[in-house]
Amino acid sequence: MCRLGSPSFSKSSPVTTTRALHQGLDTLLTALLDSGLALEINGLAVDRRRVTWQPRQSAGPFLGYRQHATVEQYLLWLANGDYCAVLLDGSLLQLTYDVDGGQVSGHRLAYIPCPYELAQDLLDEGFSIEDLVRFYEASPTDAVALRSPVRFDYDPSAAKPGHPASHFTINSAACRIACVAPIHMGRFVDFIFRHFYPDQHRDHPELFAQAESHVGPAVIADDDRAAPHIAWATGKATG
C-alpha cells in the first residue's frame, strides 16, 4: 500500500531517448501544420537529456503561475519563438520532455490561449497575430477572451503530499490535480483539441489516433487515486 504522496511505479516502464521523443514531436507538429490546425511550428532543440522548442534568441520563461500570464508575456513568447506551435486561433503550445537513464524523467506541457479572439478574415488578409493583438490591446474591443492556460507537469523528484508526481494545473500554482501517469505528447494534444476545439478534433480522427500511446506507467499515489483525478488507460507504454 502506498502512503500519502508516494507514487506507485510499474515495473514495465518503456525505454526511450530524446531522439525518439524528438522524432515523435516533430511528426506531431508537422501533422498539425499540414492539417491547418497550426499556423506555425517551431524548430526543436534536442540533447541527451531534453527535447524542447528552439527559441529565436535566449530561451524565455516557461509558463508559470507566480503571476497570471499577461498580454505582454504572450507577445514576448510569440516574438521570441517560445513555443512549439501557434495554433489556428493564435494560442500557443509549449512542450518539453526530459529523459534520464532511458526513461522519461519529467515533462512540462502547456496550452496558452490567445488573449483575444482573432478575426479570421484579417488573418487571411495577411495581418500578423502580433499586429492584431496590439490592435485589440490599444482599442476598445469585445474580442478579449478570458481563458486560463492549462499545464500538465511530471516531476517525480518533487512528489509529496499536495504535489502529485504527475499533475494538471489550471489558473494557479495551488491547483494540482493528480494525473495517473506522465502524459504522451499525442494524448496531450488530443486533450487540448478534444476539449477546446471539438469541431477540429472531430474532423481529424486520424491525427488524434496516436493519443493511445504513453510515455510511462502509472505513478499516482493511493491517496490521490481516492480523490478526483485525471485518468486514462496506461496499459501500452511507448516512447
Side-chain angles (χ1 to χ4, degrees):
M1 178 72 68
C2 287
R3 298 183 181 275
L4 178 64
S6 175
S8 58
F9 291 90
S10 164
K11 293 182 180 179
S12 58
S13 188
V15 175
T16 191
T17 64
T18 52
R19 180 177 295 182
L21 291 168
H22 172 273
Q23 182 178 4
L25 184 52
D26 183 67
T27 298
L28 177 60
L29 295 174
T30 300
L32 289 175
L33 185 65
D34 291 346
S35 63
L37 299 179
L39 300 177
E40 181 184 345
I41 60 175
N42 204 350
L44 298 173
V46 60
D47 57 29
R48 283 202 227 170
R49 184 176 179 273
R50 172 170 290 182
V51 57
T52 187
W53 67 87
Q54 179 65 60
R56 296 188 177 97
Q57 300 179 39
S58 60
F62 183 81
L63 173 65
Y65 286 106
R66 289 194 180 98
Q67 60 183 10
H68 294 287
T70 64
V71 174
E72 284 304 314
Q73 182 63 72
Y74 167 86
L75 288 170
L76 284 173
W77 280 322
L78 191 66
N80 196 42
D82 286 315
Y83 54 79
C84 289
V86 181
L87 299 185
L88 67 162
D89 64 346
S91 298
L92 308 179
L93 294 182
Q94 293 181 335
L95 299 93
T96 296
Y97 280 92
D98 290 331
V99 173
D100 185 23
Q103 312 293 325
V104 170
S105 59
H107 67 54
R108 298 179 301 171
L109 314 175
Y111 165 69
I112 304 162
C114 182
Y116 296 98
E117 295 181 359
L118 305 180
Q120 186 60 51
D121 58 336
L122 295 180
L123 286 173
D124 293 341
E125 289 179 23
F127 286 87
S128 71
I129 294 173
E130 181 179 358
D131 287 344
L132 287 177
V133 170
R134 292 288 188 195
F135 173 76
Y136 289 145
E137 187 179 27
S139 308
T141 178
D142 59 0
V144 64
L146 298 178
R147 300 177 291 180
S148 174
V150 299
R151 190 172 91 192
F152 283 90
D153 285 340
Y154 176 51
D155 186 3
S157 65
K160 60 184 179 180
H163 195 295
S166 182
H167 59 270
F168 172 79
T169 297
I170 187 169
N171 194 51
S172 76
C175 176
R176 297 188 186 98
I177 302 169
C179 294
V180 68
I183 191 167
H184 186 272
M185 61 190 75
R187 186 164 290 278
F188 168 70
V189 172
D190 172 78
F191 178 93
I192 296 303
F193 277 87
R194 183 184 297 271
H195 294 288
F196 304 129
Y197 306 93
D199 292 341
Q200 288 81 3
H201 185 273
R202 185 176 57 251
D203 291 342
H204 297 276
E206 72 292 339
L207 190 156
F208 299 105
Q210 61 189 295
E212 295 307 315
S213 53
H214 307 272
V215 295
V219 296
I220 190 168
D222 286 347
D223 282 35
D224 289 325
R225 192 188 299 277
H229 61 277
I230 298 177
W232 59 91
T234 57
K236 294 172 119 182
T238 69

